[in-house]
Amino acid sequence: MAERLEQLVDKLAAEHTLTDGEYRDLIAGRTPELAERLAERAVAAREPIYGTKVFTRGLVEISNYCKNDCLYCGIRRSNKNVERYRLDPDTIVACAREGYELGFRTIVLQGGEDGHFTDEVLGDIVVRIKETCPDTAVTLSMGERSRESYQRLFDAGADRYLLRHETASPEHYAQLHPAEMSWEHRMQCLRDLREIGYQVGAGFMVGAPYQTVEHLVREMRFVEDFKPDMCGIGPFIPHHDTPFANEPQGTLELTLYLLSMIRLIHPSVLLPATTALGTIDERGREKGMLAGANVVMPNLSPVAVRKQYELYDNKICTGEESAQCRGCLGLRMTLIGYELAIDRGDIRK
Ligand code: SAH
């Protein structure tokens, strides 16, 4: 049995695909030994493409207003205990410029679905960041919008879009979201974004409520079929003011295992060791790299609002300045033999 699963790891490394049954067995049969084998193969697969260079994305959390009500998310509209904020354009551009000076060559603007950020308002901010920060990619992560809107923002200069699909299984999506949100629409957004020409990031939470091994098989299949340029996966962490307050959080071990599998399925993928991973384990992001990740996304938001952009409990780095965050991560990476790159960090195809 153990031997058969070891062979599946080697098969995944060689062929970048498994059958549904094989994915199921490999996930369900997870052991520390298999995790180690997967991580070793994942690092070896990343090595010729990215080596030990870690790409950085500076995250500016521009608004915590949101019209959606995702059951897992701390800034869902039903949460009346959140103090809402939105950053003004000057502040956003200043955060981006500060990031640029610290060595970031990708700026991510993320927020709730806030009607204030029309195509005009957001497009102007994109234009200003592109003017202020030479050779820098701008990534948007502002949720579901119309195809026309995505097109206008792309025309304004946005390079990439991050929209986690959240789950590759429609019935699981319905358990995590209110009835007015649709899995089909979210998937359509991802297809639109790709057709327009964005580099596209997708992703899902590990250990989300109701998630089964069968769902994870579908996640692996999704990565194989859609081949997102980036795939953000991190543990689900409950937020105290949501319906999922008492659900267990996702585990470090399963997250690392899936990171390694995704690297083997899609060797050139941009794979972040997420802030959520750093939240559940003090060395989570370092362990992510050693499992095959190659991206980190530290916070560039003004310290004054960091605690208010609370998607889950105990988020790290909410009291630190941006420079400290980059310095701390740089040191962490050096200590494991990796180094932060000053680079846009495009996918190498
Ligand atoms: N409004 C944007 C940005 C969402 S926040 C959008 O719709 O894409 C970014 C990601 O945080 C989400 O896609 C989700 O996967 C993750 N997230 C939200 N709540 C979380 C929680 N409780 N634990 C872990 N990750 C969470």
Side-chain angles (χ1 to χ4, degrees):
M1 180 64 189
E3 205 174 312
R4 177 173 165 261
L5 295 182
E6 283 171 16
Q7 285 164 0
L8 286 185
V9 172
D10 297 349
K11 180 179 173 192
L12 187 59
E15 299 176 15
H16 317 297
T17 179
L18 294 177
T19 66
D20 283 1
E22 290 170 338
Y23 278 134
R24 187 178 310 124
D25 292 346
L26 191 53
I27 294 167
R30 177 168 57 88
T31 62
E33 292 72 32
L34 285 168
E36 202 177 309
R37 192 182 189 91
L38 269 173
E40 220 172 84
R41 302 285 187 281
V43 167
R46 189 198 56 214
E47 169 59 31
I49 312 173
Y50 300 110
T52 49
K53 284 244 183 323
V54 177
F55 294 146
T56 63
R57 279 78 167 97
L59 188 71
V60 187
E61 299 153 331
I62 68 174
S63 171
N64 71 353
Y65 283 89
C66 192
K67 71 173 171 64
N68 285 332
D69 218 18
C70 307
L71 274 72
Y72 45 84
C73 183
I75 64 168
R76 64 202 300 268
R77 70 159 184 266
S78 295
N79 185 3
K80 303 298 177 214
N81 297 327
V82 186
E83 206 185 314
R84 303 286 168 171
Y85 76 90
R86 69 172 62 91
L87 302 182
D88 60 69
D90 288 350
T91 304
I92 297 169
V93 175
C95 289
R97 177 67 203 184
E98 186 187 357
Y100 180 81
E101 279 160 19
L102 290 169
F104 290 96
R105 293 295 177 271
T106 293
I107 301 296
V108 183
L109 305 183
Q110 188 177 84
E113 290 193 20
D114 177 357
H116 170 83
F117 287 98
T118 60
D119 300 340
E120 269 213 312
V121 172
L122 198 53
D124 275 349
I125 295 168
V126 171
V127 168
R128 286 181 59 190
I129 294 176
K130 296 293 276 191
E131 284 168 3
T132 315
C133 308
D135 307 313
T136 297
V138 173
T139 303
L140 298 176
S141 180
M142 299 295 294
E144 296 174 38
R145 304 171 76 100
S146 68
R147 185 179 175 122
E148 296 68 42
S149 167
Y150 288 145
Q151 183 68 58
R152 283 192 281 270
L153 295 167
F154 185 76
D155 295 340
D159 302 272
R160 310 189 186 127
Y161 207 99
L162 215 60
L163 184 77
R164 289 189 178 180
H165 59 289
E166 311 297 359
T167 166
S169 309
E171 69 290 347
H172 186 215
Y173 190 91
Q175 293 175 303
L176 301 178
H177 299 92
E180 75 260 15
M181 292 181 71
S182 110
W183 180 84
E184 285 74 16
H185 187 258
R186 207 160 176 92
M187 288 296 181
Q188 186 57 49
C189 287
L190 285 171
R191 288 190 293 269
D192 288 344
L193 288 162
R194 171 160 282 171
E195 279 174 25
I196 289 167
Y198 283 96
Q199 294 171 47
V200 177
F204 60 94
M205 290 178 290
V206 178
Y210 307 111
Q211 189 179 66
T212 63
V213 169
E214 216 49 51
H215 292 137
L216 293 174
V217 171
R218 305 257 61 83
E219 298 308 337
M220 299 303 105
R221 188 65 59 208
F222 171 82
V223 173
E224 221 187 288
D225 292 344
F226 186 72
K227 292 218 164 40
D229 299 295
M230 173 147 138
C231 189
I233 73 161
F236 160 74
I237 305 174
H239 183 286
H240 60 279
D241 274 328
T242 64
F244 293 156
N246 297 316
E247 296 290 327
Q249 70 181 23
T251 67
L252 173 75
E253 291 75 17
L254 181 57
T255 307
L256 298 175
Y257 201 78
L258 295 171
L259 281 171
S260 298
M261 286 181 69
I262 291 170
R263 171 65 65 203
L264 292 178
I265 293 168
H266 182 11
S268 64
V269 71
L270 295 161
L271 200 55
T274 62
T275 303
L277 191 57
T279 299
I280 63 163
D281 187 282
E282 213 286 313
R283 294 188 64 246
R285 289 170 299 178
E286 293 91 314
K287 291 172 185 172
M289 293 304 140
L290 300 170
N294 69 326
V295 175
V296 288
M297 304 180 64
N299 204 316
L300 286 180
S301 307
V303 176
V305 303
R306 286 189 191 188
K307 272 206 166 47
Q308 281 154 264
Y309 195 80
E310 193 191 40
L311 309 180
Y312 49 80
D313 288 342
N314 306 315
K315 191 177 91 172
I316 52 171
C317 312
T318 55
E320 265 162 85
E321 296 292 342
S322 305
Q324 285 175 291
C325 274
R326 187 163 174 114
C328 162
L329 261 176
L331 186 57
R332 284 169 180 270
M333 293 302 136
T334 307
L335 289 171
I336 57 166
Y338 286 57
E339 96 185 274
L340 296 187
I342 299 182
D343 190 302
R344 278 173 50 115
D346 289 299
I347 189 168
R348 301 203 176 139
K349 289 195 171 155

